[in-house]
Amino acid sequence: MISLSNIYKSYQTGQSTLQVLKGIDLEIAQGEMVAIMGSSGSGKSTLLNILGILDEADQGKYVLDNTLIENLSERKAALYRNRFLGFIFQSFNLINYKTALENVAMPLYYQGLPRKERIEKANYYLEKVGLADWATHLPGELSGGQKQRVAIARALAADPKVLLADEPTGALDSATSYEVMELVRKINEEGKTILIVTHENDIAQMCKRLVHLKDGVIIEDKLVQSQSPKEYV
Amino acid sequence: MRIVKIILSQDTWSEILGSIRKNKVRTLITIVGVLWGIFIYIALSGSARGLYNGFQKEFESISVNSFFIWSNRTSVPYAGYKIGRRVILNLEDVVAIKKRVPEVEHIAPRIRNGNWGKPPARVIKGSKTGTYSVYGDFPSVSRISVIKIYDEGRFINQRDIEQSRKVCVIGERTQAELFEKGVKPVGDYIRIDGIYFQVIGVHEYSEEGGFSSDSDIFIPFSTYQKLYNTGNRVDWFAISAHADADIVEVEQHVKTVLKDLHDVSPTDERAIESFNLGQMFERITGFSKGMTFVSLVVGFATILAGVIGIGNILLISVKERTKELGIRRALGATPGEIRSLILLESVFLTLISGIMGIILGALTLAAVNNATQGIDFPYYNPTVPILWVGGALLIMVVLGSLIGLLPAQRALSIKPIEALREE
Ligand SMILES: Nc1ncnc2c1ncn2[C@@H]1O[C@H](COP(=O)(O)OP(=O)(O)OP(=O)(O)O)[C@@H](O)[C@H]1O
Ligand SMILES: [Mg+2]
């Protein structure tokens, strides 16, 4: 599903160049659930942004679902993001003047689906994350966990190939975190490929594979004995 | 076309309305700017048109290509005559004017009493009596001023002149004062200064007539001469020129001829005087044209300022919405979709304010029109040509999209990843 080879990425800050990713090779197959760990500043978000076609690598090859991601126009990039990728952010990133339902329906709007179909699908995914009754509420009226579940429904709505989550539980207390992770696991069990950036060990333990970044290179890549969040509760 | 599809889509509108609803105060402030501009334009140019129409109506009963000319005492000694000699116009002047000024189309010598020291006529009908001004007239006067005669009646004709008939055209008020209600005056007789006259017509009162009154009585010039023993004397001439003639030139020309005929110095400004309606009318027309132009300039400038205001506000709004736009792009919004979202918002705001301004302007015009109805103020049917309104709207759409390009470009200049990082 995902194939990265020899990915380099650096940031220019004033005079100095900060080399963040220094040759990443990574293969992720369909249906995997991968945790990306590493200390702060190790380049986890940078890597995820490149995977999400929100940012571009300086060097290296990125193939997503048999499509070479290279020198895309902003329009093409938007198209791929819309069709292949679902994002889950630490700060939820819901649009605050739109209801939960409208937020979930938004990627479908950019897919060009007719209104009726969008509402149907959005409702379906809201129900899937257990928020059917909250459809008409604005994000401001939801708890953190609820917001993240709306965000997950939104990421799922367009039926992407890959879910990318950057510290999805970073803003949640542990009980809520586990609820959210339970949901994510369920989605993974239905076959979706999922990447989760986290620096929380317990969250990483709920995934099936763990990739450890340090100073811009992968220092560890192992399968984990996936633990159900329920065991923590 | 893609853009048409975007504009027609309900989703586009709910997106725009959503963003507008989110910023009510901002939207209001923006709208007021453009609204004010188009309001000024509509109200001002409509009023100019109303004034123009009003004056046109005022002059409707008199040919605008005409003037009056009369005589006074001389103010310059000339040809052996002393200053202060009384110049008297006469019927022979007509022939000379016609011969020497070919641009003259109609010329009507007129004479009247009830003015210039001549007492009005005493008019009797049965037991009723009144005093009215009597005019000695030729049929040609009706070619220069519009004299409307009620059905069944007529104006003085050539035969009346030739035979010095004792016939008269009375005014609407004269009829009301002298005749019983329901009695038809045409064919009936009245006594003017002791002489019986048959009424041949009743002239309609027109408020805009300006110079005649609803009680004036017209009799044939020749009859007037005999009745009051005025000889060949004429009080004034009403003269109209051919449509293609320059009325001011004709006026000067006639003046010169009359001065020549009556031994008046060419430099004497007082002896022969005239009043040119055409010139007067032109001055008013010029004023209303000027006002239209000013309204155009002021309106356009205000609209421009308003639209720039919209651009400014949208720039701020785009900055405020950086994160939101970043989210949208992460979810798959293409640059084109972001651009049209902002452009349409700009155009929509401009148009809405424009349409509101037009409605407000139209209401104001209607209100002023109502208020001036019935009072003596030359204001009538103030309108702004639909083409101009459409043009103004078109300009606003163009300006709105142009100014919207700026914030749209700003929104797109930020990469999605940077936009998402924004707090
Ligand atoms: N736009 C940028 N410009 C300059 N430097 C950047 C930029 N984005 C990230 N960096 C730097 O790159 C390095 C890696 O950043 P990144 O966000 O990938 O780290 P991270 O592993 O996600 O850390 P954290 O756990 O704190 O989120 C950091 O040192 C950061 O300061
Ligand atoms: Mg990070």
Side-chain angles (χ1 to χ4, degrees):
Chain A
M1 178 59 65
I2 288 173
S3 164
L4 292 178
S5 51
N6 208 25
I7 294 290
Y8 280 82
K9 177 73 182 176
S10 62
Y11 289 113
Q12 202 73 40
T13 41
Q15 307 282 351
S16 59
T17 307
L18 181 68
Q19 195 67 42
V20 181
L21 299 180
K22 305 166 184 166
I24 300 281
D25 294 296
L26 189 62
E27 296 282 336
I28 294 167
Q30 159 106 43
E32 281 198 86
M33 183 169 176
V34 185
I36 300 172
M37 287 197 79
S39 56
S40 187
S42 56
K44 305 182 294 291
S45 296
T46 306
L47 179 62
L48 206 72
N49 290 335
I50 289 172
L51 287 170
I53 327 182
L54 290 167
D55 211 345
E56 241 185 324
D58 299 336
Q59 234 190 84
K61 202 172 137 200
Y62 171 24
V63 177
L64 171 62
D65 195 34
N66 301 320
T67 311
L68 180 66
I69 306 299
E70 195 180 30
N71 291 327
L72 296 180
S73 67
E74 185 47 46
R75 192 180 125 69
K76 236 350 190 322
L79 235 68
Y80 286 173
R81 281 196 291 267
N82 184 256
R83 228 175 319 140
F84 292 143
L85 303 162
F87 293 92
I88 302 166
F89 304 94
Q90 177 175 2
S91 53
F92 323 124
N93 281 349
L94 298 174
I95 293 175
N96 56 19
Y97 64 91
K98 288 185 177 288
T99 64
L101 187 78
E102 288 168 337
N103 265 288
V104 176
M106 185 150 289
L108 302 169
Y109 169 65
Y110 290 118
Q111 256 179 5
L113 252 62
R115 190 179 178 77
K116 202 166 149 268
E117 225 173 298
R118 294 202 307 262
I119 305 254
E120 239 165 60
K121 272 200 176 177
N123 266 320
Y124 169 79
Y125 283 104
L126 266 184
E127 191 165 346
K128 198 177 173 91
V129 299
L131 289 175
D133 296 340
W134 297 83
T136 58
H137 287 251
L138 292 172
E141 302 160 357
L142 302 175
S143 73
Q146 286 173 324
K147 280 187 212 172
Q148 196 59 299
R149 271 145 67 191
V150 172
I152 291 171
R154 181 177 68 183
L156 287 174
D159 194 23
K161 308 270 187 210
V162 179
L163 274 192
L164 300 173
D166 196 347
E167 305 199 30
T169 59
L172 305 175
D173 62 47
S174 50
T176 318
S177 296
Y178 297 155
E179 278 173 37
V180 166
M181 281 311 290
E182 181 62 39
L183 180 63
V184 173
R185 274 167 59 99
K186 211 176 88 193
I187 292 159
N188 173 248
E189 262 143 43
E190 287 168 14
K192 198 125 303 197
T193 313
I194 301 176
L195 270 85
I196 300 175
V197 165
T198 181
H199 54 245
E200 292 165 82
N201 238 316
D202 47 354
I203 298 298
Q205 291 306 318
M206 294 167 201
C207 300
K208 292 175 181 167
R209 180 178 164 191
L210 197 155
V211 172
H212 209 122
L213 274 187
K214 194 179 178 199
D215 295 332
V217 289
I218 296 173
I219 53 162
E220 190 183 23
D221 185 349
K222 64 172 185 195
L223 295 179
V224 289
Q225 204 56 37
S226 175
Q227 285 173 303
S228 163
K230 285 182 188 127
E231 293 161 31
Y232 285 87
V233 181
Chain B
M1 285 252 299
R2 219 177 111 75
I3 186 77
V4 174
K5 204 178 122 207
I6 290 174
I7 289 171
L8 289 182
S9 137
Q10 184 196 345
D11 304 313
T12 313
W13 291 108
S14 60
E15 282 294 332
I16 291 171
L17 291 178
S19 121
I20 286 172
R21 227 178 293 131
K22 185 181 141 216
N23 302 288
K24 287 197 191 76
V25 175
R26 185 200 91 193
T27 306
L28 200 77
I29 293 169
T30 353
I31 280 183
V32 167
V34 172
L35 187 150
W36 187 232
I38 189 86
F39 172 78
I40 284 180
Y41 166 63
I42 294 284
L44 233 61
S45 69
S47 302
R49 185 77 211 172
L51 278 179
Y52 177 83
N53 285 346
F55 278 109
Q56 188 146 50
K57 209 172 161 220
E58 199 102 333
F59 289 123
E60 172 178 76
S61 54
I62 303 155
S63 158
V64 292
N65 215 24
S66 69
F67 58 94
F68 307 126
I69 192 157
W70 65 93
S71 60
N72 296 298
R73 289 178 191 279
T74 58
S75 63
V76 177
Y78 188 68
Y81 292 107
K82 273 197 268 181
I83 188 170
R85 173 176 59 96
R86 193 181 189 99
V87 178
I88 295 171
L89 304 175
N90 61 53
L91 280 179
E92 272 104 64
D93 296 339
V94 175
V95 186
I97 290 171
K98 273 193 173 161
K99 207 166 123 193
R100 289 166 64 177
V101 190
E103 292 90 349
V104 167
E105 188 177 24
H106 297 292
I107 175 163
R110 304 190 74 180
I111 188 162
R112 69 173 285 196
N113 61 24
N115 206 344
W116 298 307
K118 292 179 284 182
R122 210 176 141 72
V123 181
I124 302 170
K125 165 69 192 165
S127 60
K128 295 185 177 177
T129 308
T131 52
Y132 302 100
S133 285
V134 172
Y135 288 63
D137 267 319
F138 283 93
S140 56
V141 72
S142 66
R143 301 292 194 78
I144 299 161
S145 311
V146 176
I147 298 169
K148 282 188 197 143
I149 305 288
Y150 278 111
D151 286 350
E152 293 174 16
R154 64 171 179 86
F155 193 64
I156 296 157
N157 63 26
Q158 196 52 39
R159 196 79 48 88
D160 298 331
I161 300 284
E162 282 161 13
Q163 300 175 3
S164 305
R165 282 177 177 161
K166 295 191 195 80
V167 292
C168 66
V169 174
I170 63 171
E172 210 174 323
R173 185 150 65 88
T174 328
Q175 175 190 357
E177 286 171 2
L178 293 180
F179 288 83
E180 301 291 343
K181 258 208 181 115
V183 175
K184 281 187 183 163
V186 174
D188 209 341
Y189 289 86
I190 58 174
R191 264 199 294 168
I192 300 175
D193 281 335
I195 309 289
Y196 277 99
F197 276 78
Q198 188 176 28
V199 177
I200 54 169
V202 179
H203 65 85
E204 210 172 305
Y205 171 61
S206 70
E207 193 188 348
E208 298 80 14
F211 299 94
S212 60
S213 121
D214 55 344
S215 65
D216 291 338
I217 298 175
F218 303 121
I219 65 175
F221 195 91
S222 51
T223 317
Y224 190 101
Q225 282 175 306
K226 286 187 177 135
L227 180 61
Y228 294 108
N229 199 23
T230 52
N232 263 353
R233 169 195 174 136
V234 167
D235 277 350
W236 79 98
F237 293 109
I239 295 173
S240 72
H242 288 287
D244 54 354
D246 179 349
I247 190 70
V248 179
E249 245 169 55
V250 176
E251 187 182 353
Q252 280 312 319
H253 203 167
V254 170
K255 263 189 184 172
T256 312
V257 169
L258 282 176
K259 282 176 183 174
D260 183 32
L261 288 170
H262 294 275
D263 293 322
V264 173
S265 160
T267 59
D268 194 334
E269 291 296 324
R270 195 181 69 184
I272 306 289
E273 282 187 312
S274 62
F275 176 71
N276 182 345
L277 275 169
Q279 213 173 2
M280 186 78 176
F281 187 70
E282 247 162 50
R283 220 169 281 161
I284 289 156
T285 311
F287 171 74
S288 99
K289 268 185 193 149
M291 206 165 135
T292 309
F293 181 72
V294 166
S295 73
L296 208 68
V297 171
V298 172
F300 185 78
T302 320
I303 289 174
L304 194 68
V307 171
I308 290 173
I310 288 188
N312 242 325
I313 299 256
L314 278 176
L315 262 171
I316 296 169
S317 142
V318 158
K319 185 143 178 55
E320 276 170 4
R321 290 170 69 187
T322 303
K323 179 104 183 213
E324 178 200 327
L325 295 176
I327 297 168
R328 284 173 183 271
R329 289 169 78 182
L331 296 179
T334 62
E337 280 162 328
I338 297 286
R339 188 182 294 119
S340 47
L341 181 70
I342 294 162
L343 277 186
L344 280 174
E345 192 175 331
S346 169
V347 171
F348 178 75
L349 281 175
T350 321
L351 261 184
I352 278 287
S353 7
I355 288 167
M356 275 165 62
I358 288 170
I359 291 172
L360 232 82
L363 286 179
T364 308
L365 286 179
V368 173
N369 196 26
N370 272 343
T372 54
Q373 216 91 75
I375 66 166
D376 190 18
F377 185 73
Y379 190 81
Y380 174 73
N381 195 19
T383 51
V384 182
I386 191 78
L387 215 70
W388 289 45
V389 174
L393 281 177
L394 191 76
I395 287 175
M396 283 192 297
V397 171
V398 170
L399 285 180
S401 359
L402 283 181
I403 210 75
L405 277 176
L406 225 76
Q409 217 41 54
R410 162 73 69 85
L412 291 175
S413 70
I414 302 171
K415 288 206 289 188
I417 181 68
E418 287 158 9
L420 280 170
R421 226 178 262 135
E422 191 96 353
E423 265 324 311

